[in-house]
Amino acid sequence: MLLHHRFFCPHSRFVRLVLAERGVEPDLAEAKPWERRDDFLRLNPEGTTPVLEAAESLAIAGAEGVAFWLDDTDQTPPDRRLMPEALTQRVEVRRLMRWFHGKFFDEVSGPFVEEKIDKRFMPPEAGGGAPNTSILRAARNNIRYHLAYLGWLAARNDWLAGPQMSYADLAAAAHLSVVDYLGEVPWNDDAAAREWYARVKSRPSFRALLADRVVGMQPSGTYADLDF
């Protein structure tokens, strides 16, 4: 498999976590959407990451697209799957995936990554430059609300969507991981959210993500610390 991704794209990180949980190590090819490369646009006309080339003439775009394709073709035992069998739990997993890949990304992880990381590498004509402080201020306000909701979910279940780890946990952790790199997660606000993230971050599937670095930008002190 070949995964077209960006190291600090949370949707790409979700796919890397999902594949790692299955013991799959894809080849990686970094794709920068602002470059608008023809070969990448042929795979995904939206020009966004991730895109998984799973086989000849089969390219699956988007975090949820990859997850649902894996679910459709899953041959692993039910107790090891990332999508539960019970219908009500499947509905909840899909709802939370949409929450983190959509709402959390729009209000928190997306703005942080674009303003503090991507703009450093984008040319001015593509929108690069100094971060917008108003956008960052809004994202800092938004994450407190999201962290409280995540903590509420973590406190009432063993995992976010029920008794077993699922796509929902990996989606939330992938988005939080990029914000944590930037030191923008107020972990002291919610003990339940912090404890849940520590469990997910301690899994072997997370090791490769914790080794990622932004050129010229060191991670926060909590990023790679499993006992933060």
Side-chain angles (χ1 to χ4, degrees), residues 34-57:
W34 56 86
E35 293 180 345
R36 306 293 295 175
R37 296 197 334 259
D38 288 343
D39 58 340
F40 183 66
L41 291 173
R42 279 192 290 271
L43 295 174
N44 179 19
E46 291 183 25
T48 56
T49 53
V51 176
L52 180 67
E53 288 191 82
E56 187 176 352
S57 302

Side-chain angles (χ1 to χ4, degrees), residues 90-102:
R90 293 173 75 90
V91 170
E92 178 67 352
V93 168
R94 290 190 174 103
R95 184 186 74 82
L96 290 176
M97 287 176 67
R98 188 171 63 252
W99 179 283
F100 289 103
H101 288 320

Side-chain angles (χ1 to χ4, degrees), residues 56-132:
E56 187 176 352
S57 302
L58 179 60
I60 306 127
E64 292 187 346
V66 172
F68 296 150
W69 173 74
L70 289 168
D71 190 44
D72 288 340
T73 59
D74 206 339
Q75 301 297 319
T76 57
D79 61 343
R80 293 182 55 200
R81 293 179 184 174
L82 294 168
M83 180 65 80
E85 288 193 295
L87 178 60
T88 55
Q89 290 179 17
R90 293 173 75 90
V91 170
E92 178 67 352
V93 168
R94 290 190 174 103
R95 184 186 74 82
L96 290 176
M97 287 176 67
R98 188 171 63 252
W99 179 283
F100 289 103
H101 288 320
K103 187 174 179 64
F104 190 93
F105 177 74
D106 290 341
E107 297 180 355
V108 181
S109 58
F112 274 130
V113 170
E114 181 172 1
E115 297 299 323
K116 298 190 76 171
I117 297 178
D118 290 348
K119 279 189 171 182
R120 300 173 74 236
F121 303 100
M122 296 164 62
E125 61 271 18
N132 185 313

Side-chain angles (χ1 to χ4, degrees), residues 13 17 21 159 165 169-170 173 176-177 180-181 187 194-210 220-228:
R13 291 187 143 216
L17 287 173
E21 286 288 333
W159 297 93
M165 191 184 73
D169 297 279
L170 299 185
L176 272 174
S177 69
D180 190 33
Y181 186 97
W187 289 118
R194 181 172 177 154
E195 180 181 340
W196 163 84
Y197 185 64
R199 281 195 291 150
V200 182
K201 187 167 70 167
S202 297
R203 296 182 68 83
S205 61
F206 231 90
R207 290 172 186 163
L209 270 62
L210 297 180
S220 71
T222 61
Y223 179 67
D225 185 358
L226 302 183
D227 297 319
F228 69 105

